[in-house]
Structures are given as C-alpha cells and as structure tokens.
Amino acid sequence: MPMIKNIVFDMGKVLLDYECDAAIRAFTKDEKLIKKISMAVFLSQEWVLLDMGIISEEQGLSRMLAHLDTEEEKEIAEKAFKNWHRYNLFPKAGMGELVKELKEKHGYNCYILSNASVRVPECCYDIIPGHEYMSGALFSANEKCIKPQDIIYERFFKKFDLRPEECFFIDDLYENILGAEKTGMKGYCFSDGDIGKLREILCNLRCRY
C-alpha cells in the first residue's frame, strides 16, 4: 500500500481561524445590522461565486449591495467587503508549529487546497501559519471550481504531480473530505478544532496507512 507522503491542508478553520462578522463590527456595533449585512455579504450566494472565480469582486459587491435597503447598510457593507481580509482571517494557534514539525521532523510535503477568492493569495498568503514550509497551494477561484467537486482535487493532483493515495487531506467540512476520498485521497475532518488530536493523527499516519 502506498505510503502517505503529502499532507494537504484546507485554509479557513484549519490553518486560519475565520470570523465573518469581524469586518462588519469594525464599522458598526448594531447587532441587528451586523446580522443583516453578514447575510447579504459573507453568507451570500455571491460569496460562493467569488470563491468559484466566476464573478469579479465588482460584480459580487454590486449584487450583494442589492440585497440591502438603506444607504447606511450599503455603505457599511461596502467597507466590510473591501476590508474583510484585514479583519476576518487570523492564524490558528499552533498550526505553524505543526506544519514545521510535519515538514522538518517527519519529512512530509505540505500543501494548501482551499476554497478562496482571488484576493486571498494576493493579500493573505503571508499570514497563513507555516506558509514558508508549503510546497504549493491551489485556490478555488483560480480554477473556476470549488470543493467538494471532483475536478478541483483532480486539478490539484495534476498541478503538483501527486498520487492521490500518497496524500492525506485536512478540512473542517465533512463533505469536502468525502469529495477527496472519491478521488482517492484519504482525509480527516478537523471540525472540532482540536490541534492536539490532529497532531497525534498526522504524526502517526505512517503507522496507520
């Protein structure tokens, strides 16, 4: 049976923590307004389309603002959208050390496979913990597809010339793990955020597979 050689990380809620309302809170303290704008921007269908790379940020913002009613709502929403990368993403404690350990102590190649808009690699890559130990990254918007679609995993394997059975995938969403397994890559759902448990699993992979 092929040995696991590559650890593949999702980004949000795995390498980075994510708080979608943080950018809105920077511009208003009205909880009712925060909830309304969050639904219109960060929890919208347009956000998914941005992650898929099939609409531009200008198109996405225009469509998001159309869901809102007042000029105040639209002004806050626009500010939050244009600045979300400054507020919403922050390194998950302990992940940088884990990535370094996997690379330097255990000899794994580490990669990123994440649903993310085009802004992420441009503005956020340097805050990803352990990014200096990554052998490569693939973001959904650049591929015009999204997890858990089969094609995004297949493009990831092709881009980095990897065998699926030699890769192990970490994601916080179970459906994305199932998508990976359909293409031959085993994985672990990191939904509980327990980094101690994750470390134990990853550091003992070669004993399990």
Side-chain angles (χ1 to χ4, degrees), residues 9-77:
F9 292 91
D10 177 35
M11 188 176 62
K13 299 294 186 180
V14 177
L15 293 170
L16 296 173
D17 276 324
Y18 178 76
E19 185 182 344
C20 67
D21 293 347
I24 309 171
R25 293 183 187 281
F27 302 103
T28 181
K29 305 304 178 187
D30 185 327
E31 291 297 324
K32 185 175 180 180
L33 190 52
I34 289 168
K35 183 177 181 180
K36 183 174 183 179
I37 293 172
S38 183
M39 290 296 298
V41 178
F42 301 113
L43 301 177
S44 66
Q45 181 62 29
E46 287 77 22
W47 193 261
V48 176
L49 297 177
L50 286 168
D51 277 357
M52 294 182 74
I54 60 177
I55 60 173
S56 68
E57 290 210 341
E58 292 75 15
Q59 290 171 323
L61 177 59
S62 177
R63 290 169 57 165
M64 290 169 180
L65 296 182
H67 299 313
L68 298 168
D69 302 309
T70 70
E71 287 305 311
E72 179 191 17
E73 292 170 355
K74 294 179 181 184
E75 180 180 350
I76 294 170

Side-chain angles (χ1 to χ4, degrees), residues 127-140:
I127 72 167
I128 297 172
H131 66 87
E132 65 270 33
Y133 300 102
M134 296 294 176
S135 297
L138 185 145
F139 296 104
S140 60

